[in-house]
Amino acid sequence: MTQLPLHYFLALAALLFATGAVGFLIRRNLLVMLMSIELMLNGVNLTLVAFNRIRPANHAGHIFTFFIIAIAAAEAAVGLALVLAFFRLRGSVRADEATLLKH
Amino acid sequence: MTDSVFVALAPILVVAFGGLGLMLTEVLSRRPAREGNHESGPSSDLALGTFVTMATGAVVALSLWLVGPENLAGAKAALPFLVVDRFTLFFEGLLCLGAALTALMAGGYLPEHKLDRGEFYPLLTFSTVGAMVLAASGDLLSLFIGLETMSLGVYAMVGFRRGSLRSTEGAIKYFLLGSFAAALLLYGGALLYGVTGKTDLAGIAVALKTTAGADLGLVLVAMVLILAGLAFKISAVPFHMWTPDAYEGAPTPATSFMAVAVKSAAFALVLRVLIGVFGDAESMSWATGWPPVLALLAALTMTVANLIAGRQESVKRMLAYSSIAHAGYILVGVVAMIEPGNDAQASVLFYLLAYTVTTAGAFAALVLCGSRGKEAVSYEDLAGLAKRHPALALAFTLFLFSLAGAPPTAGFFGKLYIVRAGLGAGLNTLTVLLLLNSVIAAYYYLRVMVFMYMREPAPGAVVAVPMRSGYVTSALVLSAVLVLLLGLWPATSLHVALDAAMANR
Amino acid sequence: MKSFEALFFALSALLTVGGAVATIGSRRPIRSAMGLLVTILGICGCYLLLGAELLATVQLIVYAGAVVVLFIFVVMLLGPAAVSGTDKASAIPRYVGATVFGVGALGAGVLMRQLASERLTSTKLVKLPDGFGGIEAVGRELFTTYVIPFELTGALLLVAVVGAMAVARGKQADPTRPNAPVNPHLADPHLADSDPSDAQSAINVKAPTGEPSSAATAANAAKPPTGEPSSAATAAKPPTGEPISAASAANAANAAKPGDGH
Amino acid sequence: MNDLSAIGMLVPALIAAAIAAMLPRKAHPKHRLALATSTAALIVAIGWLWPAPLPARDAALPPEWPHLLNLLIGLPIASGLALLLVPTSLARLVRGATYAVFAVCFIASLALLSVPMTAGWHFQFIAPWIEAAGIRWHVAVDGISVWLVILTTFTTPIAAYASFGSIRTRQKELAAAFLILQGTMIGAFVALDLFVFYVFWELMLVPMFLMIGIWGGAEKIKASVKFFLFTMTGSVLMLAAMVYLVWTYHALTGQWSFDYLALSRVVLPDQQAPVAMTAQFLCWFAFSLAFFIKVPMWPFHTWLPDAHVQAPTGGSVILAAVMLKLGTYAYLRFSMGLFPYRSALLAGNLGAFAIMGGILYGALCAWKQDDVKRLVAYSSVAHLGFVMLGLFGATPSGIEGSILQMINHGIATGALFLLVGVLYDRRHTREVSEFGGLAKVMPVYATLFVIVTLASIGVPGTNGFVGEFMIIVGTFVSRRLNQFGPLEAIAAAFGVILSAVYMLGVVQKIFFGPLTNPKNKGLKDITVRESVALAPLVVVIFVLGLFPNLVLNRITPAVSAFAAQYVKSFTDSPEHPTAARLLPKSFFSEAFMTGAPDHNAKATSESPTLAARAPAAGVLPAGLSARADDPALAAAAAVRAARPQDPARPARPQDLIRPQDLAQPVRLQDPARPSDPARPSDPARPSDPARPSDAARGNDGAHR
């Protein structure tokens, strides 16, 4: 399909991954942290699909992505369940409210 | 018969179908209305069922070991996703052992702490399946699926006490950092795929050897990401922040499972990746590869974790930090793999075995110390244990000595073996650091003994009311016997570890 | 053609990055979720450019259709409580860490051109076979070569379902009263599983409005009849969320069993 | 002297019995009878033990029961563990069983004396244990350790007996602790496999830790933890050195072994400088540090006063009488035995340490103590300084004196701790200022105290004199202490005077002068139980003081052989070993090497010295790793370099390693398993016909 050089996509994916990582590290809202992880996983997916572009002999990257999407959905389900449980006890979704366990 | 792929994957299948059976049992069994009766809770049959499932899994793994995985023609069909070799079988047995001990512990703990809900056992079983897949995986894809299966189950187990803020908080922290680490690992894996065009570990290794020169930068980035992700998973300092919180918040059987099975699986992952992917001479050399990074991590992990552990006031949290420190000791063995022909990898495997039985035993003892919905967590809770329950105190002492690495216990032999590997690889400073660290560790283990033997219990302390559970007691006895057995006659298990290590090189 | 592709890529990249920044930047989680949706759309565009038609569809259906909707659902459920205030002062080390990480990763992204050799970045010579990335090609591979991981995913999803259920089952929080979380002891006797030591630290947990007597009954029902006076064990589970000292509870239990101890 | 007729034996026995019967002032005749009988029996036993002349070399030696040592180790440990299972209510049964086991052990240990103690190992027992790691259960006694074993079986029952009198709580655990302690201490004395030694060395900490921590004084927990951690710090470093030594042995022979005899053949590289970071220095230091902490030598002694003061009387007795001896014994056996070159090199400096830090500093510290028990503890530091001085001097007479002094110190200090315990039981204080004029109310006690004090000072006629005298003489003539020998002998003699000053000072303050403190007016004199515990010790003080040959006769052959071998090992070989090498078995006497594992140097060598020197002479294959310039690792590096480090480097023809060496531990190689091509574990096989015949001339010339 495309004739665009691959590093466009790779750079975009890296940027996405980095954005997700930054969001994960600076935000304290549990929901946003979860979404940041989704961003990171999307960055990974884009990398895989992009690399599959130059190796069309099989669909290893595509299928890897496929599975990562499934994993991400499962992870989101468990994560949101935990967030709900946390909210139910604490009345908040702020990670820095999680201070009960300290040294 | 041996050409069927189902035979080769039998241990995983046994555990997985056992888990399904357990779920069905839980759903179909009619229980009298919840009277709070210990005998009628889900644990009453599920704990034993899980134990039997895990024991069967271990026995199947053992029989495959005896048959010899190279004789299993069917194993090829699972390649490259699942590798059936002695390394895999060793870990399958080890993980089944850890999970079996956890199941026994849960059988006593959950009813006692009014957590007796049936989901725990399927979670435990399927986490174990994930861990076994992780240990068996020869491909990045199955590796991540195994990792996530294991992790998702464990997150839920940590947050199992959903009415408790501690438990949920621990689970949240563990979940967030675990997912973050998984994302790092995945990105590293994606870059490796990009460089090599392969996702199976062997293929990546071969491709790296032949063509990687041009893309050294990418490979290095991938290596760094993967190392960081692995460090999270084995909770090496400075990636350890989640460990104490998750360990403390989780119900004790879940803590034990994390400390033994998850850690073993994480080290299986480390060995698979470091040897399988970055096992070439260049990556393994002191100057250009991962050994110095891991050596630094090991030194930091041991020292920092031990220093913090000494300051803890909660035994459970102390055990959490101590388990971080043990990860540091094991890392010394991993670094020692730079010396080919050295049985460093076998020492890591043996240490994991010794560590599994010891830690499971220590947590089982801790479970027994608590009662009536209150866990024994602080040192004070253990005061005077030796007077009230001398046998329990003796068993706890045995496990503490094993953790401290005092003879004639499993922990001692494990440490000796790692020290031998470390010195053989010329890591003199690191090895001496390990040994000095074990002195620091001895300090806080001794503290537990001081409280058990030399302090009088406060009136009304938890130990005053014993918890009685045949399940936990049998877990305790089983691990105590294994600790002594591995300490006094380790020859067989040494051979087993060696054979397992030979398979992964 | 090329310019159209470049334009399409630019649009997709803009959506992706803009959505990502909105996700991590906005104060309201609902906007974050919308940002995530935009990112996913942008990535779909990239997938299309890269010839991954099936994945683009799956991305749209699973991510946009399931995951983002799940997020939005939870955000709605939590209501105003989902909004986080400004971050606290303790955030400085995190910012430092994030900056270091961000700069490093961004550098890696920018340097991708330098890092990756021509072999990896040039798509000029690669001809995609017919049907590449289509449902048939991918599906065939998925169910032949990748059948084992596919089966393993079953375990993954199962564990996720059971796990989510184990953690979150129970009475839902009342979204209209974010600061009065439901006390599980009252709501559901099955949930009488908090540990009493929590009670002292969980300051936010307000005393429930329910009738104490019913709570006591509930806790009583869950108590194991081991031949002790029921009051001892009941006291160990303060149904009102009040910090009853655990020592006194255990003391009572101890007193009930004179033969033990001492 | 060597041969006493039956009547000659009976006379002193009867006299002693009469004295013993008359000693207690107001005792029941039954008690008097018991005291008299036991004393007489002891004397008869001593007579029976009188050493017979060594038999002619070809005379048939009496048979040695090989399981005797296993019994001595196993019985107390097993019965100690078994006692833990007995219900607490059966306290009498527990005590009775404990005494019975101790009696069996003591009698069994006397059987060690039934054979003539020729040089070499006796009652040797070897069984495979963990073969993959080269660990064997190897126990034996020689003239050096035999008396220490007997000292253990002799003093532990006394300590236990005294403890049961004063400690009433948790007697079951106490009995178990004493029994396990005895078994592990004997195990450490007789172990000839370093692994076994280490196991016992660590294990013995546990009962002692519990004993101090459970039954100790006010600061017991701090003292017990300090005791444990100090000792453990030393021992983990020792473990590292042990493993290093084992690795070197493996590099030289291709076999694993933890055996003391096998490892004695290893000579680690070293330089002639007091402090050089060579392998031998570091290993010697790691071993010796563990032992110095245990002894304890200044500046590692700080745990000792705390432990002694806080420990219960029985614990103090064991600690002083036996456990400290493990440090001195192990220094002699392991530091000097395994690293003769290094320990000889540093002997002069260490002698100064023993004098200044041990004898003089210990004495001065003891002098200014107010607490009697603390005073005795510091006097231990001083006395063990003597012992160490004798070992550093390494003359036969010095070593013999040291061993004798170990026993003397065990007896005298053990008795002192018992006596202090008596005082403490009465008044619950040990402050010197609280007492005065006690001789008036407790005459028997005062007499015993003075006797033991004299023994501790080393007055002629008591046992202390002989040992100290021999050590000072040995120091004076020692060549190991450089030119300082005479000086140090004089300083040591000055230490004797100091000890008289502080010991007699405290005796004067406690027992003589006016009876000022009214609380002391009604103090009871020594009870029967206490005198039964003390009597054997007092008897032994005189027996050893008058007939030291009783002990020395059995020590001498072993010590002469040891000293000869010690000197030989750094005179018959090059002064600066620059690479690790293996001495041939023939270097050692046959008696010493009995039972050593039969491993040969890897490069089959007619002259191992040559083979070992070759690397130093620059014949090492080129391309050694960077570590090769460190002579400490040169030998191991030589082996390592010969091994294929990575696939990139082709196996060189001069590789010295046979494939069976590469399959690291002894394990069955699965022939079906294909070797990974990426990581060749089998380099060019030596049997390869294509291999040039002269290519083997790597560093071992015509070997192979």
Side-chain angles (χ1 to χ4, degrees):
Chain A
M1 290 269 183
T2 178
Q3 298 296 311
L4 290 173
L6 209 55
H7 61 261
Y8 284 19
F9 296 95
L10 297 181
L12 179 63
L15 196 59
L16 193 58
F17 188 85
T19 315
V22 168
F24 180 84
L25 291 173
I26 64 168
R27 291 302 302 263
R28 294 295 88 182
N29 188 319
L30 292 174
L31 288 168
V32 178
M33 287 170 89
L34 275 177
M35 291 182 213
S36 302
I37 288 174
E38 300 295 335
L39 289 182
M40 292 169 77
L41 291 179
N42 270 304
V44 174
N45 288 351
L46 188 53
T47 312
L48 283 166
V49 175
F51 276 128
N52 207 160
R53 168 69 184 76
I54 55 163
R55 296 191 173 81
N58 58 20
H59 289 87
H62 284 195
I63 288 174
F64 211 128
T65 304
F66 202 82
F67 281 108
I68 291 180
I69 291 176
I71 291 174
E75 224 177 57
V78 174
L80 286 172
L82 283 170
V83 171
L84 271 183
F86 181 74
F87 171 78
R88 201 181 294 148
L89 293 168
R90 187 49 116 178
S92 157
V93 291
R94 287 178 59 81
D96 41 13
E97 297 275 348
T99 50
L100 204 55
L101 300 157
K102 276 281 153 67
H103 307 296
Chain B
M1 152 100 178
T2 55
D3 53 354
S4 163
V5 70
F6 296 113
V7 173
L9 300 183
I12 297 177
L13 293 176
V14 162
V15 177
F17 282 101
L20 287 177
L22 290 172
M23 286 176 77
L24 284 180
T25 318
E26 213 268 325
V27 171
L28 296 181
S29 65
R30 290 174 168 274
R31 290 176 214 294
R34 298 173 72 105
E35 294 296 322
N37 186 356
H38 283 200
E39 304 306 317
S40 69
S43 282
S44 53
D45 31 48
L46 289 190
L48 194 60
T50 313
F51 177 75
V52 170
T53 305
M54 294 303 169
T56 318
V59 167
V60 171
L62 180 68
S63 33
L64 286 189
W65 178 287
L66 294 178
V67 169
E70 60 278 352
N71 298 328
L72 298 172
K76 300 248 183 331
L79 286 175
F81 299 104
L82 296 176
V83 183
V84 181
D85 55 11
R86 288 183 191 271
F87 183 83
T88 302
L89 292 175
F90 175 84
F91 271 101
E92 282 172 350
L94 181 62
L95 294 167
C96 281
L97 177 67
L101 291 173
T102 307
L104 287 180
M105 235 180 276
Y109 179 92
L110 297 183
E112 183 74 25
H113 293 261
K114 305 212 170 57
L115 282 173
D116 201 359
R117 307 201 307 271
E119 298 103 22
F120 192 87
Y121 298 97
L123 283 177
L124 176 65
T125 323
F126 284 105
S127 290
T128 315
V129 171
M132 287 160 85
V133 169
L134 181 57
S137 56
D139 188 285
L140 289 177
L141 187 48
S142 48
L143 196 146
F144 287 122
I145 294 176
L147 182 66
E148 283 298 319
T149 312
M150 175 182 84
S151 304
L152 289 181
V154 177
Y155 301 147
M157 281 160 74
V158 174
F160 197 72
R161 193 203 298 267
R162 57 194 171 202
S164 152
L165 200 50
R166 279 169 193 275
S167 179
T168 312
E169 260 192 48
I172 289 254
K173 282 190 182 170
Y174 185 24
F175 172 81
L176 288 174
L177 288 169
S179 309
F180 186 67
L184 293 184
L185 267 174
L186 272 173
Y187 195 53
L191 292 181
L192 277 185
Y193 166 69
V195 174
T196 62
K198 303 268 196 256
T199 57
D200 62 313
L201 303 180
I204 292 176
V206 171
L208 279 183
K209 215 168 287 169
T210 50
T211 62
D215 300 302
L216 193 63
L218 274 189
V219 176
L220 280 182
V221 172
M223 198 199 275
V224 168
L225 285 168
I226 288 179
L227 282 182
L230 291 178
F232 263 112
K233 283 294 166 191
I234 56 176
S235 61
V237 174
F239 305 102
H240 68 289
M241 298 81 72
W242 58 271
T243 320
D245 294 343
Y247 276 35
E248 195 186 1
T252 309
T255 313
S256 163
F257 186 74
M258 288 161 76
V260 300
V262 175
K263 181 150 291 182
S264 301
F267 270 102
L269 172 66
V270 168
L271 294 176
R272 281 275 189 217
V273 170
L274 287 188
I275 295 182
V277 178
F278 300 115
D280 54 308
E282 208 161 284
S283 306
M284 257 191 165
S285 79
W286 192 255
T288 57
W290 47 261
V293 181
L294 281 198
L296 185 67
L297 279 184
L300 271 180
T301 306
M302 294 187 286
T303 316
V304 172
N306 272 326
L307 289 178
I308 301 180
R311 290 170 33 217
Q312 297 305 314
E313 284 308 315
S314 150
V315 179
K316 210 169 162 187
R317 212 171 163 82
M318 178 276 278
L319 284 176
Y321 276 109
S322 115
S323 105
I324 301 176
H326 280 276
Y329 304 155
I330 302 176
L331 276 180
V332 175
V334 175
V335 179
M337 290 192 308
I338 51 173
E339 186 68 37
N342 190 338
D343 35 348
Q345 201 190 347
S347 78
V348 170
L349 299 188
F350 184 84
Y351 198 96
L352 283 173
L353 179 62
Y355 173 77
T356 295
V357 290
T358 309
T359 310
F363 278 114
L366 201 60
V367 166
L368 272 187
C369 294
S371 69
R372 298 270 167 274
K374 176 136 170 35
E375 287 182 356
V377 283
S378 72
Y379 286 96
E380 297 294 339
D381 290 342
L382 298 179
L385 188 70
K387 253 187 193 168
R388 294 173 187 277
H389 313 297
L392 175 57
L394 196 65
F396 207 163
T397 309
L398 179 70
F399 298 127
L400 289 172
F401 273 113
S402 185
L403 283 174
T409 56
F412 169 63
F413 215 86
K415 202 159 279 173
L416 179 75
Y417 209 27
I418 288 213
V419 164
R420 202 178 82 172
L423 286 179
L427 306 170
N428 296 351
T429 317
L430 199 58
T431 313
V432 169
L433 191 64
L434 187 163
L435 287 167
L436 289 179
N437 259 298
S438 66
V439 177
I440 306 179
Y443 165 72
Y444 54 80
Y445 295 133
L446 277 186
R447 227 177 128 209
V448 179
M449 287 184 59
V450 162
F451 273 88
M452 286 196 304
Y453 283 91
M454 301 165 194
R455 290 278 171 88
E456 294 303 316
V462 219
V463 289
V465 192
M467 169 180 164
R468 293 187 195 286
S469 162
Y471 285 130
V472 188
T473 313
S474 43
L476 196 72
V477 171
L478 193 61
S479 13
V481 168
L482 284 174
V483 163
L484 279 179
L485 213 60
L486 287 178
L488 287 173
W489 293 279
T492 316
S493 33
L494 282 180
H495 275 297
V496 167
L498 269 170
D499 282 341
M502 290 301 276
N504 182 39
R505 52 170 55 211
Chain C
M1 191 66 192
K2 178 113 188 254
S3 63
F4 169 71
E5 272 181 354
L7 198 65
F8 193 73
F9 175 76
L11 182 66
S12 304
L14 195 68
L15 285 180
T16 309
V17 175
V21 170
T23 306
I24 68 163
S26 65
R27 215 169 70 78
R28 296 174 157 279
I30 190 76
R31 288 192 190 151
S32 296
M34 289 305 156
L36 186 59
L37 189 63
V38 171
T39 304
I40 284 162
L41 290 178
I43 288 174
C44 268
C46 293
Y47 285 173
L48 285 177
L49 275 177
L50 288 164
E53 283 126 14
L54 176 65
L55 272 184
T57 323
V58 170
Q59 173 91 355
L60 214 54
I61 294 172
V62 175
Y63 256 118
V67 176
V68 174
V69 169
L70 191 59
F71 270 107
I72 292 174
F73 178 73
V74 171
V75 170
M76 291 317 215
L77 187 70
L78 302 187
V83 181
S84 61
T86 47
D87 287 334
K88 289 181 182 166
S90 69
I92 291 171
R94 288 203 315 271
Y95 278 112
V96 173
T99 313
V100 169
F101 193 97
V103 167
L106 200 62
V110 171
L111 286 175
M112 199 61 82
R113 180 74 188 88
Q114 273 71 34
L115 285 174
S117 62
E118 189 67 16
R119 184 174 67 85
L120 293 185
T121 54
S122 166
T123 56
K124 296 219 164 60
L125 299 176
V126 182
K127 279 266 183 289
L128 288 183
D130 281 347
F132 178 80
I135 189 159
E136 191 187 340
V138 176
R140 179 167 295 128
E141 227 172 297
L142 185 61
F143 290 108
T144 53
T145 320
Y146 289 91
V147 67
I148 287 183
F150 188 79
E151 301 289 343
L152 292 177
T153 317
L156 174 80
L157 296 179
L158 187 64
V159 93
V161 170
V162 178
M165 200 171 67
V167 170
R169 199 177 61 179
K171 192 166 187 282
Q172 290 301 340
D174 182 355
T176 59
R177 290 170 52 232
N179 284 329
V182 175
N183 188 316
H185 305 298
L186 252 189
D188 179 3
H190 291 211
L191 275 179
D193 55 4
S194 71
D195 59 38
S197 52
D198 274 2
Q200 294 166 8
S201 330
I203 324 143
N204 272 12
V205 178
K206 298 243 171 79
T209 49
E211 226 178 67
S213 63
S214 72
T217 331
N220 249 339
K223 180 198 73 68
T226 47
E228 281 178 36
S230 59
S231 63
T234 320
K237 291 260 158 273
T240 54
E242 242 175 63
I244 286 187
S245 89
S248 70
N251 218 353
N254 201 14
K257 256 196 191 177
D260 191 84
H262 312 297
Chain D
M1 190 70 150
N2 281 338
D3 211 337
L4 288 185
S5 66
I7 296 171
M9 255 163 66
L10 277 180
V11 171
L14 289 177
I15 295 172
I19 293 172
M22 282 187 292
L23 269 180
R25 257 206 304 192
K26 288 175 198 160
H28 196 270
K30 208 170 71 182
H31 289 154
R32 287 183 197 277
L33 189 64
L35 210 56
T37 324
S38 55
T39 318
L42 188 77
I43 300 290
V44 171
I46 290 168
W48 172 69
L49 290 174
W50 213 258
L54 287 180
R57 188 154 285 281
D58 49 351
L61 293 171
E64 298 174 357
W65 187 47
H67 288 291
L68 183 60
L69 293 177
N70 297 347
L71 174 87
L72 281 177
I73 299 168
L75 179 68
I77 294 180
S79 45
L81 291 176
L83 274 189
L84 287 178
L85 304 176
V86 174
T88 316
S89 52
L90 300 175
R92 288 192 58 180
L93 174 78
V94 167
R95 287 198 299 269
T98 312
Y99 294 142
V101 172
F102 279 139
V104 170
C105 284
F106 181 62
I107 293 168
S109 71
L110 290 183
L112 292 175
L113 301 177
S114 64
V115 298
M117 268 298 150
T118 50
W121 309 113
H122 295 273
F123 296 96
Q124 194 170 32
F125 182 81
I126 303 174
W129 185 6
I130 306 166
E131 289 178 66
I135 294 166
R136 305 187 304 171
W137 174 264
H138 184 175
V139 289
V141 290
D142 66 350
I144 295 172
S145 53
V146 63
W147 283 110
L148 295 169
V149 173
I150 292 170
L151 177 71
T152 313
T153 56
F154 177 66
T155 47
T156 319
I158 294 175
Y161 180 75
S163 295
F164 287 143
S166 55
I167 295 177
R168 288 284 161 201
T169 55
R170 298 164 88 173
Q171 285 197 340
K172 183 179 81 171
E173 286 87 349
L174 186 66
F178 271 117
L179 284 168
I180 297 174
L181 197 54
Q182 167 164 353
T184 48
M185 288 190 304
I186 293 177
F189 277 130
V190 301
L192 284 187
D193 188 285
L194 289 190
F195 183 84
V196 178
F197 171 73
Y198 185 82
V199 167
F200 283 122
W201 178 267
E202 287 278 292
L203 263 187
M204 90 179 96
L205 295 182
V206 181
M208 198 66 205
F209 166 74
L210 292 177
M211 211 184 275
I212 299 175
I214 296 179
W215 296 281
E219 295 276 305
K220 57 187 184 181
I221 289 171
K222 192 176 147 241
S224 59
V225 172
K226 198 170 171 185
F227 160 75
F228 198 101
L229 291 184
F230 260 73
T231 322
M232 191 170 170
T233 311
S235 55
V236 292
L237 292 178
M238 175 169 75
L239 181 68
M242 249 178 219
V243 176
Y244 185 88
L245 207 55
V246 170
W247 258 108
T248 314
Y249 185 79
H250 177 77
L252 293 168
T253 65
Q255 307 282 330
W256 295 107
S257 179
F258 274 79
D259 197 275
Y260 168 66
L261 306 180
L263 296 179
S264 298
R265 296 166 62 197
V266 175
V267 181
L268 290 177
D270 205 351
Q271 293 164 9
Q272 188 163 28
V275 174
M277 289 300 142
T278 58
Q280 185 162 162
F281 174 78
L282 290 173
C283 287
W284 171 86
F285 182 75
F287 268 83
S288 305
L289 183 67
F291 305 147
F292 288 165
I293 289 175
K294 196 83 157 188
V295 169
M297 288 241 312
W298 184 88
F300 311 113
H301 66 284
T302 56
W303 63 269
L304 182 76
D306 287 347
H308 265 317
V309 171
Q310 300 305 331
T313 302
S316 291
V317 172
I318 300 276
L319 194 60
V322 189
M323 208 174 254
L324 305 187
K325 307 306 172 308
L326 270 158
T328 48
Y329 161 79
Y331 184 81
L332 174 64
R333 178 76 87 212
F334 296 106
S335 283
M336 291 171 72
L338 293 173
F339 314 105
Y341 178 78
R342 181 41 76 172
S343 49
L345 190 63
L346 288 181
N349 312 35
L350 291 169
F353 262 88
I355 296 273
M356 303 299 296
I359 299 175
L360 298 182
Y361 173 82
L364 291 175
C365 278
W367 197 356
K368 65 180 279 289
Q369 297 304 321
D370 294 327
D371 185 320
V372 188
K373 211 168 175 189
R374 200 170 260 277
L375 183 147
V376 179
Y378 273 109
S379 84
S380 280
V381 175
H383 284 127
L384 287 163
F386 273 104
V387 175
M388 293 309 285
L389 185 63
L391 297 183
F392 294 142
T395 52
S397 101
I399 296 177
E400 278 179 49
S402 286
I403 296 169
L404 186 61
Q405 190 64 5
M406 288 185 212
I407 297 158
N408 295 338
H409 175 258
I411 303 290
T413 310
L416 272 180
F417 276 121
L418 283 179
L419 288 165
V420 175
V422 167
L423 212 52
Y424 184 76
D425 284 345
R426 305 234 183 325
R427 282 289 320 278
H428 293 284
T429 178
R430 291 182 293 251
E431 292 294 310
V432 176
S433 52
E434 287 278 317
F435 302 102
L438 284 193
K440 294 189 183 70
V441 286
M442 306 171 75
V444 180
Y445 177 75
T447 317
L448 288 177
F449 203 107
V450 170
I451 292 173
V452 176
T453 304
L454 293 181
S456 172
I457 297 167
V459 171
T462 62
N463 59 351
F465 171 72
V466 190
E468 281 178 3
F469 182 74
M470 289 178 77
I471 289 172
I472 291 173
V473 169
T475 307
F476 195 84
V477 301
S478 171
R479 294 174 58 196
R480 301 275 79 75
L481 301 172
N482 307 337
Q483 66 273 42
F484 301 116
L487 194 65
E488 291 182 344
I490 292 166
F494 183 66
V496 179
I497 298 171
L498 264 185
S499 81
V501 171
Y502 64 79
M503 286 308 292
L504 292 178
V506 77
V507 165
Q508 197 268 335
K509 277 183 212 149
I510 291 181
F511 293 101
F512 303 106
L515 186 61
T516 46
N517 195 332
K519 285 184 197 157
N520 295 335
K521 289 236 164 73
L523 287 188
K524 234 171 52 175
D525 204 346
I526 197 160
T527 66
V528 177
R529 188 182 191 90
E530 288 154 357
S531 45
V532 167
L534 279 164
L537 295 171
V538 175
V539 171
V540 170
I541 284 176
F542 286 115
V543 170
L544 290 191
L546 298 175
F547 315 112
N549 266 1
L550 189 74
V551 172
L552 289 178
N553 267 6
R554 286 186 169 82
I555 299 177
T556 309
V559 166
S560 341
F562 180 88
Q565 181 189 309
Y566 179 67
V567 173
K568 184 183 175 197
S569 55
F570 50 80
T571 49
D572 278 16
S573 54
E575 278 285 292
H576 310 285
T578 48
R581 62 205 174 87
L582 195 70
L583 298 172
K585 266 188 164 184
S586 54
F587 185 85
F588 300 91
S589 69
E590 200 178 321
F592 179 79
M593 270 296 153
T594 316
D598 208 13
H599 299 155
N600 289 322
K602 197 180 250 173
T604 51
S605 49
E606 295 92 58
S607 65
T609 326
L610 184 72
R613 257 195 227 132
V619 201
L620 261 185
L624 278 189
S625 69
R627 285 194 291 267
D629 55 358
D630 179 6
L633 289 157
V639 174
R640 212 180 279 138
R643 224 180 273 160
Q645 285 262 3
D646 51 53
R649 185 192 302 162
R652 284 185 309 277
Q654 71 264 42
D655 278 345
L656 308 169
I657 311 303
R658 293 167 299 180
Q660 63 264 37
D661 305 326
L662 283 159
Q664 280 275 339
V666 200
R667 58 178 300 277
L668 294 173
Q669 185 95 33
D670 189 351
R673 192 174 302 149
S675 60
D676 188 345
R679 204 177 274 249
S681 61
D682 288 2
R685 291 165 189 277
S687 57
D688 191 348
R691 186 189 165 112
S693 61
D694 60 341
R697 210 184 304 277
N699 59 4
D700 60 340
H703 313 316
R704 199 188 298 279

